[in-house]
């Protein structure tokens, strides 16, 4: 039996469809149900929905053998897990954005608003840029509009929200997609089962 | 629950002590404190850079030990001719968990310092396997040699390889390929790493695959050293419990050569970690060193459940009771192997299989 932590929401549903096609369907499964755990003895899987940012925690702690999380979350939380597959879905990018017409003033620290404190810190440390971070939990775009920050570091999918608020991407930090992660200890004891799952999922990956 | 059914830290240490002393290892006791400077100079060797410090009465900045190995090699009397074989059970102090608060962590470890040859490697690996077996028969000891991956990196001219090593240790071949593309590294490098990481089979079968990949001096030497482990497999008698896994990476500033980690079936984290640290030992004396540590706090899953902690009989007595009779009754029950609580009133938060009023 493999325990799988799926991220609640659209991405999790897409991932489940991939797993279903790869032979890991769960008869009990119903995305609108209030049940938290779904089991399918025949296919040897147990699914549970968790908050996307909690997936690496469930996997690292071994409550789930495998899980699916965005690269953004894996980098931000620095989980000690195996990252076995790029699922090539949920694609977007982590980017720096600012008000259109913004010009960087190198003589003072850059004020950055973000949900992704660690990613922002590492990115600017690599550039030797002194920054002042403001951690927010949502509506990051507001910060530069109200003059609270110079720039934001956030996920950009289509760029529509930015455009509508007179903001634009000034730099891409890294491309993001969903990854299959595996608990290191569980991998040792369920080696064949997990390797089979990785191989079966590989066949279902979308083309580049 | 029978007494032998549950895990007991004291008993485990007793078994390990017998095991290590049987092979001539001596127990090393040390102070809880160490001069902070030792850790400052060797920060990268520590699992976490955070250390609890205080100033002693002479004005020296001291630290509560975050690590044991450093204290051992710092004081070693071993030479290249005369090895020291030591084991320890000590507490270390490190931030842990989501709250990042300092915790006292109990660990048992073993160090071979001095002349570490092929036999020494086998002895330490065998003791690591036996230690895991003492915790749980269902264990895995993953072994690797840093030289294989480092040799490959050297062959392909990769100098600043931290990022590459991070991809290797998380078996992340997809991002490694992208990284190589961006940095103009020959794609053959990523293909070879991918072959190493996906190799399946017994220790010797995986080693055979590594041999195809190891073409430069450093990696060839590493493969030769691993061959010693493969050859002696019959005598170690662990079957497929000892595996070769090239994703094990320890800090390359201090570690070199053989590295290994151990897992037991009930714990979601690694419970044993070890390796060869000639580079660290070389900073203090002209010696080589190999050792491992077992993290006892990772074995909580094996500890006695709440069920075993419960008291069987509650004996209630009052001022008018015959105290001698109460004691006699309690004694009878404990002689029968039951746990007894004698009290005037029943504690609100506990349940008892039997309540007796005397």
């Amino acid at each position: 039996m493999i325990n799988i932590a799926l991220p609640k929401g659209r991405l999790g549903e897409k991932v489940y469809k991939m797993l279903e096609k790869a032979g890991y369907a769960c008869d009990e499964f119903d995305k609108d149900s209030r049940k938290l755990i779904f089991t399918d003895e025949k296919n040897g899987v147990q699914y549970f929905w968790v908050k996307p940012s909690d997936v690496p925690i469930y996997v690292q702690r071994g409550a789930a053998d495998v899980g699916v999380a965005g690269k953004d979350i894996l980098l931000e939380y620095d989980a000690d897990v195996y990252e076995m597959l790029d699922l090539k879905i949920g694609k977007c990018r982590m980017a720096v954005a600012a008000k259109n017409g913004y010009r960087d003033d190198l003589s003072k620290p850059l004020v950055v608003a973000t949900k992704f404190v660690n990613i922002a810190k590492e990115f600017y440390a690599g550039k030797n840029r002194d920054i002042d971070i403001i951690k927010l939990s949502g509506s990051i775009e507001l910060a530069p509009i109200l003059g609270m920050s110079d720039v934001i570091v956030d996920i950009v999918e289509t760029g529509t929200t930015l455009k509508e608020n007179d903001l634009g991407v000034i730099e891409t930090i890294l491309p993001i997609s969903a990854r299959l992660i595996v608990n290191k200890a569980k991998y040792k004891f369920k080696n064949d089962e997990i390797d089979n799952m990785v191989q079966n999922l590989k066949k279902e990956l979308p083309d580049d | 629950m029978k007494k032998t059914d549950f895990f007991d830290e004291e008993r485990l240490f007793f078994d390990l002590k017998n095991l290590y002393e049987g092979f001539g290892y001596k127990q090393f006791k040390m102070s809880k404190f160490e001069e902070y400077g030792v850790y400052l100079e060797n920060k990268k060797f520590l699992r976490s850079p955070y250390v609890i410090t205080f100033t002693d009465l002479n004005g020296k900045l001291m630290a509560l030990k975050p690590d044991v190995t450093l204290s051992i090699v710092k004081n070693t009397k071993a030479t290249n001719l005369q090895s020291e074989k030591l084991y320890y059970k000590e507490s270390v102090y490190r931030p842990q968990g989501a709250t990042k608060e300092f915790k006292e962590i109990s660990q048992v470890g073993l160090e071979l310092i001095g002349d570490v040859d092929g036999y020494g490697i086998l002895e330490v690996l065998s003791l690591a396997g036996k230690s895991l077996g003492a915790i749980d028969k269902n264990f895995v000891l993953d072994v690797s040699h840093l030289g294989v991956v480092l040799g490959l990196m050297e062959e392909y001219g990769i100098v600043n390889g931290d990022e590459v090593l991070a991809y290797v240790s998380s078996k992340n071949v997809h991002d490694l390929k992208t990284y190589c593309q961006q940095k103009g590294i020959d794609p053959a490098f990523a293909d070879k790493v991918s072959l190493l990481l996906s190799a399946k089979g017994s220790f010797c079968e995986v080693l055979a695959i590594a041999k195809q990949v190891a073409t430069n001096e450093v990696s060839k030497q590493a493969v030769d050293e691993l061959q010693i482990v493969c050859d002696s497999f019959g005598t170690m008698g662990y079957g497929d419990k000892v595996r070769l896994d090239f994703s094990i990476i320890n800090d390359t500033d201090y570690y070199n050569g053989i590295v290994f980690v151990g897992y037991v079936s009930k714990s979601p984290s690694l419970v044993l970690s070890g390796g060869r640290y000639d580079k660290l030992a070389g900073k203090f004396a002209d010696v080589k060193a190999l050792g491992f540590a077992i993290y006892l706090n990772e074995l909580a899953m094996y500890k006695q459940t709440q069920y075993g902690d419960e008291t069987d009989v509650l004996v209630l007595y009052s001022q008018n009771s015959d105290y001698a009779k109460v004691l006699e009754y309690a004694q009878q029950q404990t002689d029968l192997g039951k746990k007894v609580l004698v009290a005037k009133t029943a504690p609100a938060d506990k349940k008892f299989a039997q309540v007796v009023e005397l």
Side-chain angles (χ1 to χ4, degrees), chain B residues 92-337:
Chain B
V92 293
Y93 303 85
R94 292 180 192 147
Q96 269 222 325
T99 54
K100 297 277 176 225
E101 276 169 14
F102 277 102
K103 286 251 160 73
E104 179 174 358
I105 301 161
S106 177
Q107 66 179 49
V108 174
L110 177 142
E111 316 283 351
L112 167 61
I113 306 166
D115 177 24
V116 180
D117 55 8
Y119 171 75
I121 292 171
L122 286 182
E123 185 177 282
V124 172
L125 274 182
S126 151
L127 289 172
K130 284 198 169 93
S131 307
L132 288 169
I135 300 164
D136 184 344
K137 293 273 172 275
N138 192 6
F139 71 87
V140 169
L141 179 65
D142 271 346
V143 183
S144 181
H145 193 299
L146 289 173
V148 177
V149 174
L150 293 180
L152 267 182
M153 284 167 61
E154 189 186 278
E155 192 180 332
Y156 286 89
I158 302 166
V159 189
N160 210 341
D162 284 356
E163 207 155 336
V164 169
L165 292 174
Y167 292 136
V168 173
S169 79
S170 59
K171 291 188 187 270
N172 182 347
V173 177
H174 42 275
D175 282 338
L176 176 66
K177 283 186 175 161
T178 314
Y179 177 81
C180 289
Q181 231 168 22
Q182 284 168 353
K183 300 281 172 184
I185 298 164
D186 187 343
F189 170 75
D191 290 340
K192 284 185 178 175
V193 171
S194 168
L195 190 66
L196 282 178
L197 293 180
S198 59
K200 275 180 81 90
S202 69
F203 191 98
C204 297
E205 284 163 357
V206 176
L207 183 59
I209 295 169
K211 272 184 190 161
Q212 297 166 16
V213 173
T215 39
N216 86 336
E217 229 11 78
V218 180
S219 44
K220 268 188 191 165
Q221 225 174 344
V223 166
D224 286 346
E225 218 167 284
L226 289 170
Q227 185 65 44
I228 303 172
V229 183
C230 164
D231 289 342
S232 66
F233 229 50
T235 48
M236 285 173 76
Y238 293 128
D240 64 352
K241 287 191 167 81
V242 180
R243 301 175 192 166
L244 192 52
D245 180 341
F246 290 102
S247 72
I248 309 165
I249 304 287
N250 278 350
D251 191 282
T252 50
D253 284 345
Y254 295 94
Y255 286 96
N256 61 306
I258 296 260
V259 282
F260 50 94
V261 290
Y263 297 90
V264 284
S265 66
K266 282 189 196 167
S267 174
S269 310
L270 64 86
V271 297
L272 179 149
S273 149
R276 183 150 185 173
Y277 54 95
D278 296 353
K279 288 185 185 173
L280 175 76
K283 285 184 153 195
F284 299 98
D286 181 23
V287 287
K288 298 186 172 69
L290 175 67
F292 62 81
I294 298 165
Y295 308 109
L296 297 176
N297 57 318
E298 298 294 352
L299 302 177
M301 306 273 188
Y302 288 86
K303 282 198 179 139
Q304 192 177 357
T305 57
Q306 204 58 40
Y307 173 75
D309 263 347
E310 277 177 18
T311 310
D312 302 308
V313 187
L314 171 67
V315 183
L316 290 173
Y317 72 102
S318 67
Q319 274 178 333
N320 305 326
S321 304
D322 180 342
Y323 293 166
K325 268 198 178 154
V326 174
L327 181 63
E328 192 188 342
Y329 181 79
Q331 205 107 48
Q332 275 170 3
Q333 295 298 311
T334 54
D335 287 347
L336 291 170

Side-chain angles (χ1 to χ4, degrees), chain B residues 2 14 34 65 97 122 203 275:
Chain B
K2 278 190 305 190
F14 184 73
E34 185 73 74
K65 274 194 328 263
L122 286 182
F203 191 98

